[in-house]
Amino acid sequence: MKKIILFALVSISVFQNSYSQSYERIKNHNLIFNCDIASGNPYTIAASSILTGLTNYYILNDAFFENSFAYGIYSTDTDNLKVKTLNPMGITARELFNNMQVGLKLGYQTYSPEFFNFGLYSSAHYKVEQFEVGYNDDNMDYHRAQRMLFGATALFSFGNMGQASRVIVEAGCRYSMRLGYTSPLGEEKKQLNNGLVSHYAVKFASRGLWQNIGIYADINHFDLWNDSYRDSKLKNVTIGITWTITPQQADSRRDE
């Protein structure tokens, strides 16, 4: 886990540097190009929001980084079997990096002065889910799933691009591919299944300090556990709140 976290932080740092050098050359209203960071721990996502908000302002001068607080909901078909996320307010390494997801979005959107605009973007995400499984609260086993998600999402924008605010609706599908799994049964990733995940979001785009504030849901349409390893079936839905911090937007509003 420490190696994964270090790799992610170094990759983001290197990407920020290279992106800031080339961004002015490729900046385009029709271009969808964002990095989103989600976490199930409020301390982690608060720190991320401050860091990425300052990066959006001082380095990129654009709403490149998005942040989300994500919460996983699990259910099984076995009576009395409990599955729950780690303590969202915890401060251990596992709890701070619980339900982490980091990825890139790349696509195209129309940017006409009309009320309606639309776009399409492809995405690639790395996700770590950590949760506990057991029949009573005093005897819960630790589980960790690592995945890559690849997919495409359509977005629809309602409201003139020049307005102070507008509504954005997203709907898409992603393929969830297993990378690794840790459980009492061992480290074999074949304990997991691969499958499809649908993505839905409603956002309110603003010209102020906070942009793209909204809610989203990622719904797994497959059993997470492989039947060869477990008799129970495990389903998962992730719900979240997302936002983008761009101080330069507040500055531009004050200048008007």
Side-chain angles (χ1 to χ4, degrees), residues 54-199:
L54 293 174
T55 301
N56 284 343
Y57 184 27
Y58 289 105
I59 299 178
L60 304 179
N61 192 34
D62 190 68
F64 177 69
F65 283 100
E66 302 173 358
N67 288 276
S68 302
F69 176 76
Y71 185 79
I73 301 173
Y74 300 90
S75 62
T76 73
D77 64 346
T78 301
D79 293 339
N80 301 322
L81 181 62
K82 299 181 179 181
V83 181
K84 62 181 183 179
T85 61
L86 301 185
N87 179 13
M89 303 301 294
I91 57 174
T92 67
R94 288 179 177 179
E95 292 164 336
L96 287 173
F97 293 96
N98 179 38
N99 211 13
M100 286 288 298
Q101 180 170 296
V102 180
L104 290 174
K105 304 173 182 177
L106 178 62
Y108 175 87
Q109 64 180 340
T110 60
Y111 202 87
S112 72
E114 306 299 329
F115 176 82
F116 176 75
N117 283 272
F118 65 92
L120 180 69
Y121 66 81
S122 59
S123 62
H125 290 85
Y126 169 74
K127 185 174 185 179
V128 179
E129 295 177 274
Q130 301 183 86
F131 50 93
E132 295 178 318
V133 181
Y135 286 96
N136 60 74
D137 293 333
D138 297 326
N139 187 24
M140 303 290 284
D141 294 321
Y142 170 72
H143 291 241
R144 183 181 73 227
Q146 301 178 66
R147 294 183 172 277
M148 286 296 300
L149 294 97
F150 304 94
T153 299
L155 63 86
F156 307 92
S157 176
F158 301 90
N160 188 290
M161 289 297 186
Q163 293 180 187
S165 61
R166 52 196 169 86
V167 177
I168 298 174
V169 177
E170 296 186 358
C173 186
R174 297 166 180 174
Y175 181 73
S176 179
M177 181 179 71
R178 64 196 180 199
L179 291 181
Y181 195 65
T182 299
S183 81
L185 299 180
E187 301 283 338
E188 179 58 69
K189 69 179 182 181
K190 290 183 179 179
Q191 296 179 66
L192 293 176
N193 286 319
N194 300 322
L196 296 179
V197 179
S198 58
H199 169 78

